[in-house]
Amino acid sequence: MTVVERIQRATSDHDLDALAACFTGDYQSEWPVHPARSFGGPEQVRRNWERIFAAVPDLRTEVLTSVTSGDEVWSEWEFSGTRRDGQPFLMRGVIILRVPGERATAARFYLEPVDTEAVDADVAVSRLAGS
């Protein structure tokens, strides 16, 4: 089973031990779009997912596609469920993992909550450009 498959199974099963075992002790998580969210170590992986599992008890994860190139695995994900406050939880995006062996040493996350606001491309680009 690949690391991506193990991560997907562990997150869908809410198995913190299996999830933490997917990462090396010197693992680095990088969030290029949100740099302050970057961190190191599987302990923070465990803390993050412990909170997510508690807040979204029916969380499901799905890998829509993945491609391996050398020791990098590019994977497209969907996380879905219902938060404890009744609001839908839906995130989609890409995770690029560095996997030189059996466990991930690094990842770059490009995951975002799905924007359910009904605005077309013109409005979205205008907001982005500040016009």
Side-chain angles (χ1 to χ4, degrees):
M1 185 179 301
T2 69
V3 170
V4 168
E5 290 168 331
R6 292 194 331 259
I7 292 169
Q8 188 279 321
R9 177 175 285 174
T11 53
S12 285
D13 291 347
H14 299 204
D15 186 338
L16 289 170
D17 292 331
L19 182 59
C22 293
F23 304 96
T24 61
D26 60 350
Y27 168 75
Q28 293 296 307
S29 176
E30 182 183 355
W31 291 74
V33 180
H34 304 283
R37 296 180 189 176
S38 298
F39 64 88
E43 301 80 19
Q44 187 66 49
V45 171
R46 179 184 284 278
R47 283 194 301 274
N48 291 350
W49 281 97
E50 190 170 39
R51 286 158 129 173
I52 293 168
F53 293 155
V56 187
D58 65 343
L59 178 78
R60 295 169 309 283
T61 62
E62 181 180 359
V63 178
L64 305 175
T65 189
S66 68
V67 175
T68 301
S69 176
D71 68 355
E72 281 193 341
V73 181
W74 292 60
S75 51
E76 182 182 4
W77 291 77
E78 179 175 286
F79 300 172
S80 61
T82 304
R83 297 185 333 196
R84 288 206 181 273
D85 65 6
Q87 294 298 307
F89 179 86
L90 183 59
M91 294 183 73
R92 292 186 182 130
V94 172
I95 303 170
I96 305 167
L97 291 159
R98 168 106 351 119
V99 187
E102 294 297 313
R103 297 184 296 157
T105 61
R108 291 188 308 279
F109 284 82
Y110 299 92
L111 285 169
E112 294 291 330
V114 172
D115 184 359
T116 57
E117 186 180 7
V119 298
D120 65 17
D122 290 327
V123 172
V125 170
S126 291
R127 287 181 182 172
L128 221 101
S131 56

